[in-house]
Amino acid sequence: MVTKTPRSASTALVLAIRQRLIRPPSACILTFSSTSASASSAAPPSPLPPVRPPTSPPGAAASFSGRRRFYKVVSILPHASSSYYDNFTIRLDDRALRTPSRNELTVPGAPLAHALAAEWDRQDDAGIRPETMPLTSLAFTAVDQVAADRELVIEGCIKYLMNDTTCYPACPTADRVIHRMQRSAWDPIDKILRALLPPEHPPYVAPAGELHLGSLPHPPALVEFLRASLADMDIYELASLQSVTRESKSLLVGYAAVHGRTVADGAIPPSPDCVVSASRVEEEFSIENWGLVEGGHDLDRLNCSVQIRAATVFLDLLREGRNGS
């Protein structure tokens, strides 16, 4: 069965994604088209192809930048998988979408597949713009880079813990303003972390206002706990964690944002606004004191917001697909 959706519907879907209100149709195949052409019938299920080594740098969706739209119809088709939830491929006309490393892009669950298809359908003849496809960029990163070397990604995230931004509080007397901003932004994250991390091994927090040289002496048991928890994540969760961790310069913020969305023990994840605020305390303090530099601070603020919100939407769609929503 093929469900045709006019371009106006795909526009509405994109807006819904941006507002985090997406509720994709239940049909297993969705086709976006600006013409009357219909999607090709689903191919027989086959095992997932092996992942090829990465041949492109991070942010590899940029390899499509500037190319004219070379397809008319965007659709999704179910793909056979050994996983406990369905996998889907994105089709551009009659061909499967491939990553910059030439891996077939396969994502878990129809909700995420619908969102990726909507990003591709929104491109026009003026040229493909990767900056308008943050969900696709995360999916490419997961399939091309994280799947090729999970340990490298995990250790890269663990390194942020050794100098985690949230473990350097300002002095409450000498630096009252930034201390107040830190507490306002970081306390909601700390509350979530207390529910996720072992209480007997809390993160080490440097003395307020003191300069700490070298790596923070976190309890080894905490480090191993986090390393094991990251190892249990799939490639899509790890790609999202890596994105949030890099933007926030904090594994603890990334862990609260990601793990709080993927665990099944009732943990309440932080809102995207909360994660963005926790990621930009020092930058917003500088802007408040010295002013905003147009073309610099404003773009950094926008990029941080887009990357973090994309990661949280990506994870929410992932969870919806696994729950059969």
Side-chain angles (χ1 to χ4, degrees), residues 48 51 85 87 99 103-108 112 137-151 153-154 230-243 258 314-315 318 322:
L48 292 178
V51 175
Y85 47 86
N87 283 272
T99 69
N103 292 306
E104 184 175 280
L105 182 63
T106 305
V107 295
L112 182 55
S137 293
L138 280 171
F140 281 176
T141 298
V143 173
D144 274 359
Q145 298 166 28
V146 180
D149 198 338
R150 289 173 52 90
E151 289 303 316
V153 174
I154 291 172
L230 268 58
D232 287 338
M233 294 182 181
D234 65 27
I235 59 173
Y236 307 97
E237 295 163 356
L238 272 177
S240 300
L241 175 73
Q242 177 180 248
S243 179
V258 173
F314 191 92
L315 289 165
L318 191 68
R322 290 174 172 174

Side-chain angles (χ1 to χ4, degrees), residues 20-234:
R20 306 182 72 253
L21 297 175
I22 183 171
R23 290 295 181 271
S26 59
C28 66
I29 302 176
L30 172 68
T31 300
F32 300 104
S33 176
S34 57
T35 69
S36 59
S38 61
S40 58
S41 58
S46 58
L48 292 178
V51 175
R52 304 186 186 186
T55 58
S56 48
S63 63
F64 290 93
S65 181
R67 293 183 61 182
R68 292 176 61 86
R69 176 168 172 151
F70 53 89
Y71 50 90
K72 294 182 179 179
V73 179
V74 183
S75 60
I76 68 169
L77 292 177
H79 197 298
S81 171
S82 58
S83 136
Y84 63 91
Y85 47 86
D86 292 335
N87 283 272
F88 290 79
T89 60
I90 290 82
R91 312 283 295 188
L92 305 181
D93 293 334
D94 59 346
R95 293 176 296 181
L97 174 62
R98 292 188 177 273
T99 69
S101 292
R102 304 303 299 161
N103 292 306
E104 184 175 280
L105 182 63
T106 305
V107 295
L112 182 55
H114 283 301
L116 297 180
E119 285 188 337
W120 282 90
D121 189 61
R122 286 294 296 161
Q123 306 308 305
D124 53 38
D125 292 337
I128 294 175
R129 296 179 296 159
E131 67 274 13
T132 66
M133 299 191 289
L135 301 179
T136 296
S137 293
L138 280 171
F140 281 176
T141 298
V143 173
D144 274 359
Q145 298 166 28
V146 180
D149 198 338
R150 289 173 52 90
E151 289 303 316
L152 180 65
V153 174
I154 291 172
E155 291 307 313
C157 291
I158 291 293
K159 286 181 179 179
Y160 279 90
L161 178 66
M162 299 299 104
N163 296 102
D164 201 286
T165 301
T166 62
C167 295
Y168 292 95
C171 178
T173 55
D175 301 297
R176 291 191 299 272
V177 176
I178 190 170
H179 175 78
R180 186 164 57 248
M181 293 175 67
Q182 287 176 339
R183 295 276 53 87
S184 175
W186 294 347
D187 281 354
I189 299 294
D190 290 341
K191 182 179 180 180
I192 293 170
L193 288 172
R194 284 195 292 271
L196 297 177
L197 300 178
E200 64 275 16
H201 302 297
Y204 175 84
V205 178
E210 293 187 14
L211 178 64
H212 185 92
L213 300 177
S215 299
L216 293 168
H218 294 294
L222 173 66
V223 178
E224 290 308 311
F225 173 86
L226 286 170
R227 183 177 282 113
S229 183
L230 268 58
D232 287 338
M233 294 182 181
D234 65 27

